[in-house]
Amino acid sequence: MTSLDVRTPEATRDEGPTTADEIFARARAAVPLLRARSEEIERNRHLPADVVELLRSTGVFRMALAAERGGPELTSAQQTEVIEILSYGDTSAGWCAMIGMDTPLYSAFLSEDAVAEMFPHKDMITAGLIFPSGRAERVPGGYRLSGRWQFGSGITHADWVSAGSFITNGGELETGPDGKPVWRLMLVPPEQVRTIDTWHTTGLRGSGSRDYEITDVFVPESHSFSFGTPLSRTGPLAAPEAFVRNMPGVPLGLARAALDFVREHAIERVNRQTGERWADNYRVQLTLGEAEMDFQAARHAVYGSLNQQWALLESGKTLDDFTDDERIGTMLPRVNAFRAARRIVTKLYDLLATTSIYQPSPMDRWLRDITTMCQHVVVQDLIVQSAGAHLLGGTPLFPFALGIVD
């Protein structure tokens, strides 16, 4: 592939796909190209510019864009499947696609004027941390923002950088009627952000998830928002947790890639000591069968829960209207997808034994990638506890996981 400038002309960008079928087809076509670049992506520790443009050309960054804005407006299940396909090609690329496509979901909470100003084309990429790690001091017309954030996945190619921040006034934290600190998400141009190359990690090395720092930058009020009432969108994607729904696509794509790799390997391999074909070996058959069983159960739970939630939201319900069981419906399958992928890859890695340990073995990379992914906050026991507490009328320790953001 030839190297491309990340910032291609807006007119060219808007000539992308307009339907779900087109996006699926382009994502599948990108898989072998991403797979061929996986070693380079990991070695580079962020996505090369032409790989970013390859992703952009699939339509992944526009797939949640509202139909009234000329977007394809894929459902949450469709978005997840696109991320799954791309992650099958390369995990870091799939992770960056999953993060970067949040732009049209965030834009639901901005005013119409701000959306028109900030997002001039359909394939804008956002990166950054939503949780409040900075301070935003109120000033006329907006805020003066300072702080340092971690885990800026895709920040090396972002059009906007998000930064969750507590609001201060006269240096003192503002609090809401419930006594809790008020926080908002700030969107800042990348040229006003200093990235700090901290991303020397076990896995997901190609995601470029660096720390970043913002120092006394003015952020207009219109370039900030809270996950409250949507200002420029309605429908199932105008919900505060819409941006986490597609996360399981990454571990599912990784697990499917590992399963297919080992299956192909097992069909061809013969035990050198006994002459027995791996395909006839009981342990190999059982291991692959168990791994496939785990994968299918996890995958169907993810897509079934997403489709059920979509139907509820499309019927006019909001998250506040959901029953306890409905509210946690997508959250537990999301956690399980990550954990199931780790179980699957670990099992397959052990099956291949010493074959897995030599770099650049894809099994080595997949094991490190899923191990790193499972350290994300959405995979922690805190999330499962919050679900259980919610079902019992107790106190969830991480209420944001349930779409509670006030």
Side-chain angles (χ1 to χ4, degrees):
M1 295 178 64
T2 57
S3 180
L4 299 174
D5 183 356
V6 172
R7 301 189 182 281
T8 52
E10 292 171 10
T12 302
R13 289 178 177 179
D14 280 341
E15 292 172 359
T18 58
T19 67
D21 287 345
E22 288 178 295
I23 293 173
F24 280 121
R26 292 191 184 203
R28 292 189 184 100
V31 165
L33 302 174
L34 292 172
R35 184 68 59 85
R37 303 290 292 279
S38 283
E39 291 177 32
E40 177 193 352
I41 289 170
E42 178 169 65
R43 195 168 55 248
N44 202 46
R45 292 191 303 108
H46 66 268
L47 299 188
D50 58 334
V51 172
V52 174
E53 288 309 315
L54 173 63
L55 291 177
R56 207 188 298 262
S57 72
T58 67
V60 65
F61 299 119
R62 66 171 61 187
M63 63 182 177
L65 190 65
E68 58 263 31
R69 295 190 180 278
E73 197 168 356
L74 272 62
T75 68
S76 295
Q78 289 172 321
Q79 293 170 33
T80 304
E81 189 171 357
V82 173
I83 298 301
E84 182 182 4
I85 292 167
L86 294 173
S87 299
Y88 184 86
D90 180 79
T91 314
S92 289
W95 186 267
C96 286
M98 178 269 295
I99 296 291
M101 63 135 293
D102 289 340
T103 308
L105 300 175
Y106 290 164
S107 69
F109 301 94
L110 297 167
S111 69
E112 293 278 2
D113 289 344
V115 172
E117 172 207 345
M118 298 171 69
F119 309 119
H121 62 80
K122 298 174 183 176
D123 299 303
M124 303 289 286
I125 300 172
T126 302
L129 189 69
I130 66 166
F131 299 112
S133 295
R135 298 291 182 99
E137 174 72 12
R138 283 195 186 273
V139 295
Y143 308 89
R144 303 297 308 188
L145 175 63
S146 294
R148 178 165 172 162
W149 294 258
Q150 291 181 293
F151 310 120
S153 301
I155 199 168
T156 56
H157 57 261
D159 297 299
W160 288 94
V161 176
S162 61
S165 304
F166 291 112
I167 305 303
T168 62
N169 200 332
E172 299 295 324
L173 281 174
E174 288 191 4
T175 57
D178 57 1
K180 295 178 181 178
V182 174
W183 67 279
R184 292 175 70 81
L185 196 64
M186 307 282 157
L187 295 176
V188 179
E191 57 268 21
Q192 294 182 311
V193 177
R194 185 173 79 91
T195 60
I196 305 158
D197 191 2
T198 53
W199 196 243
H200 299 271
T201 56
T202 300
L204 279 183
R205 292 177 182 172
S207 66
S209 306
R210 303 174 179 180
D211 287 14
Y212 58 102
E213 193 171 65
I214 299 171
T215 304
D216 196 32
V217 167
F218 175 72
V219 180
E221 180 75 33
S222 61
H223 291 193
S224 73
F225 65 92
S226 60
F227 290 101
T229 304
L231 301 180
S232 61
R233 185 175 196 161
T234 59
L237 293 179
E241 46 66 78
F243 67 93
V244 298
R245 295 177 198 163
N246 61 15
M247 292 188 74
V250 185
L252 289 175
L254 180 153
R256 182 73 264 165
L259 277 161
D260 289 352
F261 175 81
V262 174
R263 181 178 178 180
E264 292 169 9
H265 183 83
I267 288 172
E268 298 174 354
R269 188 164 173 173
V270 175
N271 187 310
R272 286 179 292 181
Q273 281 73 42
T274 66
E276 181 188 27
R277 296 170 62 241
W278 266 45
D280 294 325
N281 180 272
Y282 176 83
R283 175 174 175 253
V284 174
Q285 294 167 343
L286 178 64
T287 301
L288 274 175
E290 287 180 336
E292 186 69 40
M293 177 172 62
D294 208 357
F295 176 80
Q296 290 190 22
R299 189 175 190 273
H300 284 290
V302 165
Y303 287 103
S305 65
L306 286 172
N307 287 326
Q308 182 181 43
Q309 184 195 50
W310 189 270
L312 291 169
L313 292 170
E314 205 167 34
S315 73
K317 278 191 172 184
T318 67
L319 294 180
D320 290 336
D321 300 323
F322 279 17
T323 66
D324 292 333
D325 286 48
E326 289 168 347
R327 174 159 282 200
I328 68 165
T330 59
M331 186 177 60
L332 294 180
R334 182 184 310 128
V335 174
N336 185 57
F338 283 87
R339 294 183 176 184
R342 180 164 58 182
R343 291 193 300 269
I344 291 164
V345 173
T346 301
K347 190 186 295 285
L348 297 177
Y349 187 97
D350 289 345
L351 178 66
L352 294 185
T354 54
T355 303
S356 300
I357 68 176
Y358 293 98
Q359 294 187 12
S361 161
M363 284 304 301
D364 169 76
R365 184 170 58 251
W366 289 323
L367 180 64
R368 289 185 287 103
D369 284 347
I370 191 59
T371 299
T372 298
M373 261 190 277
C374 282
Q375 309 318 308
H376 195 283
V377 66
V378 301
V379 194
Q380 303 310 304
D381 287 346
L382 197 64
I383 308 300
V384 183
Q385 177 277 332
S386 295
H390 199 70
L391 291 176
L392 296 171
T395 302
L397 297 180
F398 194 71
F400 189 87
L402 300 163
I404 305 168
V405 294
D406 52 329

